[in-house]
Amino acid sequence: EDFMKPAMIISNHQSHIDIALILMLHPRLIEMTNDRVQQNFLYGPLVKMAEFYAVSEGMESLTPKLRKNVEEGYSILIFPEGTRSPDTHIQRFHKGAFYLAEELGIDILPVIIHGSGPVMTKGEYFLKQGGVTIKFLPRISIDDKRYGESLLEKSRAIRHYMADEYRKLAETLENPAYFR
């Protein structure tokens, strides 16, 4: 992915390191965070300095700010699960990312992260040895009706699509050497 065209990046969320893994891919990324991240002793000052937005401000009030960022070439990163998965399974998606993509007229760029959960387990604050894979799925046009028409239909269908793709990726990566 070259990020030449702004997109709404949606990704599964397994670990604290997911944020850094995606943000290091391109300098023009803005992350939407929840209040826990904004107030975190480690991440809070960093996300405030980077001028990331808190979803608690409300999607409607953030749209004009984000529109300006998109016009400047920024893509937006949201973890639509809203929290880290405790067991690496992709959880239910919230509709906010899909609402913003529609309002801003930008593609949805699904990204799958595999392996970050075991490397930094939820509830632990140290890294373990392991590999992490980031896989970009094809962009989805906001006008693509294959995933439904309403925000709820899109969030459910794209979540199922990403869960299937995650499962396929896991089947190829999770061999005896991976678990060793």
Side-chain angles (χ1 to χ4, degrees), residues 39-62:
Q39 296 165 0
N40 182 281
F41 74 95
L42 177 64
Y43 294 111
L46 296 172
V47 299
K48 289 174 186 166
M49 188 176 9
E51 298 180 3
F52 293 162
Y53 301 112
V55 294
S56 62
E57 291 181 42
M59 296 298 179
E60 294 83 8
S61 66
L62 289 172

PDB file of all heavy atoms in Angstrom, residues 39-62:
ATOM      1  N   GLN A  39      -5.853   8.898  28.069  1.00  0.00           N
ATOM      2  CA  GLN A  39      -5.470   9.098  29.465  1.00  0.00           C
ATOM      3  C   GLN A  39      -4.374   8.146  29.936  1.00  0.00           C
ATOM      4  O   GLN A  39      -3.942   8.228  31.083  1.00  0.00           O
ATOM      5  CB  GLN A  39      -6.709   8.950  30.348  1.00  0.00           C
ATOM      6  CG  GLN A  39      -7.741  10.014  30.056  1.00  0.00           C
ATOM      7  CD  GLN A  39      -9.101   9.698  30.634  1.00  0.00           C
ATOM      8  OE1 GLN A  39      -9.304   8.676  31.274  1.00  0.00           O
ATOM      9  NE2 GLN A  39     -10.061  10.576  30.383  1.00  0.00           N
ATOM     10  N   ASN A  40      -3.903   7.261  29.077  1.00  0.00           N
ATOM     11  CA  ASN A  40      -2.870   6.298  29.445  1.00  0.00           C
ATOM     12  C   ASN A  40      -1.575   7.028  29.782  1.00  0.00           C
ATOM     13  O   ASN A  40      -1.176   7.961  29.089  1.00  0.00           O
ATOM     14  CB  ASN A  40      -2.667   5.314  28.273  1.00  0.00           C
ATOM     15  CG  ASN A  40      -1.648   4.259  28.572  1.00  0.00           C
ATOM     16  OD1 ASN A  40      -0.448   4.499  28.500  1.00  0.00           O
ATOM     17  ND2 ASN A  40      -2.121   3.053  28.887  1.00  0.00           N
ATOM     18  N   PHE A  41      -0.891   6.569  30.829  1.00  0.00           N
ATOM     19  CA  PHE A  41       0.333   7.238  31.268  1.00  0.00           C
ATOM     20  C   PHE A  41       1.443   7.199  30.216  1.00  0.00           C
ATOM     21  O   PHE A  41       2.259   8.101  30.139  1.00  0.00           O
ATOM     22  CB  PHE A  41       0.835   6.628  32.586  1.00  0.00           C
ATOM     23  CG  PHE A  41       1.458   5.262  32.430  1.00  0.00           C
ATOM     24  CD1 PHE A  41       2.822   5.113  32.298  1.00  0.00           C
ATOM     25  CD2 PHE A  41       0.666   4.121  32.405  1.00  0.00           C
ATOM     26  CE1 PHE A  41       3.393   3.853  32.149  1.00  0.00           C
ATOM     27  CE2 PHE A  41       1.226   2.867  32.266  1.00  0.00           C
ATOM     28  CZ  PHE A  41       2.593   2.726  32.129  1.00  0.00           C
ATOM     29  N   LEU A  42       1.469   6.172  29.391  1.00  0.00           N
ATOM     30  CA  LEU A  42       2.499   6.046  28.365  1.00  0.00           C
ATOM     31  C   LEU A  42       2.047   6.652  27.034  1.00  0.00           C
ATOM     32  O   LEU A  42       2.742   7.486  26.452  1.00  0.00           O
ATOM     33  CB  LEU A  42       2.863   4.571  28.174  1.00  0.00           C
ATOM     34  CG  LEU A  42       3.883   4.246  27.083  1.00  0.00           C
ATOM     35  CD1 LEU A  42       5.237   4.871  27.437  1.00  0.00           C
ATOM     36  CD2 LEU A  42       4.023   2.755  26.920  1.00  0.00           C
ATOM     37  N   TYR A  43       0.868   6.246  26.551  1.00  0.00           N
ATOM     38  CA  TYR A  43       0.403   6.672  25.238  1.00  0.00           C
ATOM     39  C   TYR A  43      -0.258   8.044  25.243  1.00  0.00           C
ATOM     40  O   TYR A  43      -0.251   8.749  24.240  1.00  0.00           O
ATOM     41  CB  TYR A  43      -0.593   5.650  24.653  1.00  0.00           C
ATOM     42  CG  TYR A  43       0.035   4.334  24.346  1.00  0.00           C
ATOM     43  CD1 TYR A  43      -0.285   3.204  25.087  1.00  0.00           C
ATOM     44  CD2 TYR A  43       0.957   4.208  23.321  1.00  0.00           C
ATOM     45  CE1 TYR A  43       0.292   1.987  24.809  1.00  0.00           C
ATOM     46  CE2 TYR A  43       1.545   2.991  23.053  1.00  0.00           C
ATOM     47  CZ  TYR A  43       1.212   1.883  23.795  1.00  0.00           C
ATOM     48  OH  TYR A  43       1.794   0.679  23.523  1.00  0.00           O
ATOM     49  N   GLY A  44      -0.873   8.426  26.359  1.00  0.00           N
ATOM     50  CA  GLY A  44      -1.614   9.682  26.424  1.00  0.00           C
ATOM     51  C   GLY A  44      -0.833  10.886  25.932  1.00  0.00           C
ATOM     52  O   GLY A  44      -1.272  11.595  25.019  1.00  0.00           O
ATOM     53  N   PRO A  45       0.343  11.161  26.507  1.00  0.00           N
ATOM     54  CA  PRO A  45       1.113  12.319  26.034  1.00  0.00           C
ATOM     55  C   PRO A  45       1.503  12.218  24.560  1.00  0.00           C
ATOM     56  O   PRO A  45       1.513  13.220  23.846  1.00  0.00           O
ATOM     57  CB  PRO A  45       2.359  12.301  26.930  1.00  0.00           C
ATOM     58  CG  PRO A  45       1.947  11.545  28.145  1.00  0.00           C
ATOM     59  CD  PRO A  45       0.950  10.533  27.681  1.00  0.00           C
ATOM     60  N   LEU A  46       1.777  11.005  24.102  1.00  0.00           N
ATOM     61  CA  LEU A  46       2.176  10.826  22.706  1.00  0.00           C
ATOM     62  C   LEU A  46       1.022  11.100  21.745  1.00  0.00           C
ATOM     63  O   LEU A  46       1.201  11.785  20.738  1.00  0.00           O
ATOM     64  CB  LEU A  46       2.713   9.408  22.485  1.00  0.00           C
ATOM     65  CG  LEU A  46       3.984   9.043  23.243  1.00  0.00           C
ATOM     66  CD1 LEU A  46       4.297   7.564  23.099  1.00  0.00           C
ATOM     67  CD2 LEU A  46       5.147   9.891  22.779  1.00  0.00           C
ATOM     68  N   VAL A  47      -0.169  10.559  22.046  1.00  0.00           N
ATOM     69  CA  VAL A  47      -1.288  10.762  21.132  1.00  0.00           C
ATOM     70  C   VAL A  47      -1.763  12.208  21.159  1.00  0.00           C
ATOM     71  O   VAL A  47      -2.233  12.727  20.152  1.00  0.00           O
ATOM     72  CB  VAL A  47      -2.462   9.777  21.375  1.00  0.00           C
ATOM     73  CG1 VAL A  47      -2.019   8.340  21.170  1.00  0.00           C
ATOM     74  CG2 VAL A  47      -3.091   9.946  22.731  1.00  0.00           C
ATOM     75  N   LYS A  48      -1.617  12.873  22.289  1.00  0.00           N
ATOM     76  CA  LYS A  48      -1.980  14.293  22.356  1.00  0.00           C
ATOM     77  C   LYS A  48      -0.985  15.140  21.576  1.00  0.00           C
ATOM     78  O   LYS A  48      -1.361  16.085  20.873  1.00  0.00           O
ATOM     79  CB  LYS A  48      -2.087  14.742  23.811  1.00  0.00           C
ATOM     80  CG  LYS A  48      -3.317  14.164  24.495  1.00  0.00           C
ATOM     81  CD  LYS A  48      -3.352  14.486  25.969  1.00  0.00           C
ATOM     82  CE  LYS A  48      -4.518  13.753  26.617  1.00  0.00           C
ATOM     83  NZ  LYS A  48      -4.444  13.753  28.062  1.00  0.00           N
ATOM     84  N   MET A  49       0.297  14.803  21.688  1.00  0.00           N
ATOM     85  CA  MET A  49       1.317  15.530  20.941  1.00  0.00           C
ATOM     86  C   MET A  49       1.139  15.322  19.431  1.00  0.00           C
ATOM     87  O   MET A  49       1.336  16.239  18.640  1.00  0.00           O
ATOM     88  CB  MET A  49       2.721  15.072  21.365  1.00  0.00           C
ATOM     89  CG  MET A  49       3.824  15.911  20.787  1.00  0.00           C
ATOM     90  SD  MET A  49       5.504  15.513  21.336  1.00  0.00           S
ATOM     91  CE  MET A  49       5.390  14.022  22.236  1.00  0.00           C
ATOM     92  N   ALA A  50       0.724  14.129  19.047  1.00  0.00           N
ATOM     93  CA  ALA A  50       0.509  13.820  17.630  1.00  0.00           C
ATOM     94  C   ALA A  50      -0.828  14.377  17.133  1.00  0.00           C
ATOM     95  O   ALA A  50      -1.132  14.266  15.949  1.00  0.00           O
ATOM     96  CB  ALA A  50       0.559  12.313  17.408  1.00  0.00           C
ATOM     97  N   GLU A  51      -1.612  14.954  18.041  1.00  0.00           N
ATOM     98  CA  GLU A  51      -2.916  15.542  17.722  1.00  0.00           C
ATOM     99  C   GLU A  51      -3.904  14.515  17.154  1.00  0.00           C
ATOM    100  O   GLU A  51      -4.646  14.803  16.224  1.00  0.00           O
ATOM    101  CB  GLU A  51      -2.767  16.743  16.793  1.00  0.00           C
ATOM    102  CG  GLU A  51      -1.969  17.879  17.409  1.00  0.00           C
ATOM    103  CD  GLU A  51      -1.801  19.076  16.498  1.00  0.00           C
ATOM    104  OE1 GLU A  51      -2.347  19.087  15.379  1.00  0.00           O
ATOM    105  OE2 GLU A  51      -1.112  20.005  16.928  1.00  0.00           O
ATOM    106  N   PHE A  52      -3.880  13.316  17.741  1.00  0.00           N
ATOM    107  CA  PHE A  52      -4.876  12.318  17.391  1.00  0.00           C
ATOM    108  C   PHE A  52      -6.180  12.696  18.066  1.00  0.00           C
ATOM    109  O   PHE A  52      -6.204  13.389  19.077  1.00  0.00           O
ATOM    110  CB  PHE A  52      -4.436  10.924  17.827  1.00  0.00           C
ATOM    111  CG  PHE A  52      -3.235  10.394  17.077  1.00  0.00           C
ATOM    112  CD1 PHE A  52      -2.510   9.355  17.601  1.00  0.00           C
ATOM    113  CD2 PHE A  52      -2.836  10.936  15.866  1.00  0.00           C
ATOM    114  CE1 PHE A  52      -1.406   8.850  16.921  1.00  0.00           C
ATOM    115  CE2 PHE A  52      -1.739  10.442  15.182  1.00  0.00           C
ATOM    116  CZ  PHE A  52      -1.027   9.398  15.715  1.00  0.00           C
ATOM    117  N   TYR A  53      -7.270  12.217  17.511  1.00  0.00           N
ATOM    118  CA  TYR A  53      -8.592  12.593  17.998  1.00  0.00           C
ATOM    119  C   TYR A  53      -9.190  11.505  18.879  1.00  0.00           C
ATOM    120  O   TYR A  53      -9.015  10.323  18.622  1.00  0.00           O
ATOM    121  CB  TYR A  53      -9.535  12.856  16.827  1.00  0.00           C
ATOM    122  CG  TYR A  53      -9.057  13.957  15.912  1.00  0.00           C
ATOM    123  CD1 TYR A  53      -8.650  13.674  14.616  1.00  0.00           C
ATOM    124  CD2 TYR A  53      -9.024  15.275  16.332  1.00  0.00           C
ATOM    125  CE1 TYR A  53      -8.215  14.685  13.763  1.00  0.00           C
ATOM    126  CE2 TYR A  53      -8.586  16.295  15.491  1.00  0.00           C
ATOM    127  CZ  TYR A  53      -8.189  15.993  14.206  1.00  0.00           C
ATOM    128  OH  TYR A  53      -7.761  16.986  13.382  1.00  0.00           O
ATOM    129  N   ALA A  54      -9.945  11.928  19.888  1.00  0.00           N
ATOM    130  CA  ALA A  54     -10.659  11.001  20.758  1.00  0.00           C
ATOM    131  C   ALA A  54     -12.065  10.791  20.197  1.00  0.00           C
ATOM    132  O   ALA A  54     -12.758  11.761  19.881  1.00  0.00           O
ATOM    133  CB  ALA A  54     -10.740  11.551  22.173  1.00  0.00           C
ATOM    134  N   VAL A  55     -12.487   9.550  20.079  1.00  0.00           N
ATOM    135  CA  VAL A  55     -13.811   9.259  19.541  1.00  0.00           C
ATOM    136  C   VAL A  55     -14.911   9.785  20.457  1.00  0.00           C
ATOM    137  O   VAL A  55     -16.029  10.021  20.009  1.00  0.00           O
ATOM    138  CB  VAL A  55     -14.022   7.748  19.252  1.00  0.00           C
ATOM    139  CG1 VAL A  55     -13.122   7.280  18.144  1.00  0.00           C
ATOM    140  CG2 VAL A  55     -13.820   6.920  20.501  1.00  0.00           C
ATOM    141  N   SER A  56     -14.581  10.025  21.710  1.00  0.00           N
ATOM    142  CA  SER A  56     -15.593  10.543  22.639  1.00  0.00           C
ATOM    143  C   SER A  56     -16.027  11.970  22.279  1.00  0.00           C
ATOM    144  O   SER A  56     -17.045  12.440  22.766  1.00  0.00           O
ATOM    145  CB  SER A  56     -15.065  10.510  24.075  1.00  0.00           C
ATOM    146  OG  SER A  56     -13.924  11.338  24.204  1.00  0.00           O
ATOM    147  N   GLU A  57     -15.257  12.641  21.420  1.00  0.00           N
ATOM    148  CA  GLU A  57     -15.647  13.978  20.957  1.00  0.00           C
ATOM    149  C   GLU A  57     -16.880  13.896  20.058  1.00  0.00           C
ATOM    150  O   GLU A  57     -17.518  14.903  19.802  1.00  0.00           O
ATOM    151  CB  GLU A  57     -14.503  14.641  20.190  1.00  0.00           C
ATOM    152  CG  GLU A  57     -13.320  15.023  21.042  1.00  0.00           C
ATOM    153  CD  GLU A  57     -12.225  15.687  20.245  1.00  0.00           C
ATOM    154  OE1 GLU A  57     -12.524  16.537  19.369  1.00  0.00           O
ATOM    155  OE2 GLU A  57     -11.048  15.354  20.484  1.00  0.00           O
ATOM    156  N   GLY A  58     -17.185  12.703  19.558  1.00  0.00           N
ATOM    157  CA  GLY A  58     -18.343  12.500  18.698  1.00  0.00           C
ATOM    158  C   GLY A  58     -17.952  12.550  17.233  1.00  0.00           C
ATOM    159  O   GLY A  58     -17.242  13.463  16.800  1.00  0.00           O
ATOM    160  N   MET A  59     -18.424  11.568  16.501  1.00  0.00           N
ATOM    161  CA  MET A  59     -18.068  11.456  15.084  1.00  0.00           C
ATOM    162  C   MET A  59     -18.534  12.669  14.279  1.00  0.00           C
ATOM    163  O   MET A  59     -17.827  13.139  13.403  1.00  0.00           O
ATOM    164  CB  MET A  59     -18.643  10.174  14.480  1.00  0.00           C
ATOM    165  CG  MET A  59     -18.077   8.915  15.078  1.00  0.00           C
ATOM    166  SD  MET A  59     -16.306   8.788  14.809  1.00  0.00           S
ATOM    167  CE  MET A  59     -15.949   7.280  15.638  1.00  0.00           C
ATOM    168  N   GLU A  60     -19.723  13.178  14.596  1.00  0.00           N
ATOM    169  CA  GLU A  60     -20.249  14.313  13.837  1.00  0.00           C
ATOM    170  C   GLU A  60     -19.376  15.552  14.025  1.00  0.00           C
ATOM    171  O   GLU A  60     -19.095  16.272  13.071  1.00  0.00           O
ATOM    172  CB  GLU A  60     -21.696  14.633  14.252  1.00  0.00           C
ATOM    173  CG  GLU A  60     -22.696  13.545  13.908  1.00  0.00           C
ATOM    174  CD  GLU A  60     -22.750  12.414  14.945  1.00  0.00           C
ATOM    175  OE1 GLU A  60     -22.123  12.521  16.031  1.00  0.00           O
ATOM    176  OE2 GLU A  60     -23.414  11.411  14.660  1.00  0.00           O
ATOM    177  N   SER A  61     -18.928  15.803  15.258  1.00  0.00           N
ATOM    178  CA  SER A  61     -18.102  16.992  15.501  1.00  0.00           C
ATOM    179  C   SER A  61     -16.684  16.827  14.967  1.00  0.00           C
ATOM    180  O   SER A  61     -16.014  17.816  14.669  1.00  0.00           O
ATOM    181  CB  SER A  61     -18.078  17.324  16.993  1.00  0.00           C
ATOM    182  OG  SER A  61     -17.422  16.315  17.722  1.00  0.00           O
ATOM    183  N   LEU A  62     -16.218  15.588  14.816  1.00  0.00           N
ATOM    184  CA  LEU A  62     -14.866  15.348  14.297  1.00  0.00           C
ATOM    185  C   LEU A  62     -14.803  15.392  12.773  1.00  0.00           C
ATOM    186  O   LEU A  62     -13.732  15.588  12.208  1.00  0.00           O
ATOM    187  CB  LEU A  62     -14.352  13.998  14.792  1.00  0.00           C
ATOM    188  CG  LEU A  62     -14.010  13.920  16.266  1.00  0.00           C
ATOM    189  CD1 LEU A  62     -13.692  12.489  16.655  1.00  0.00           C
ATOM    190  CD2 LEU A  62     -12.844  14.827  16.604  1.00  0.00           C
TER     191      LEU A  62
END
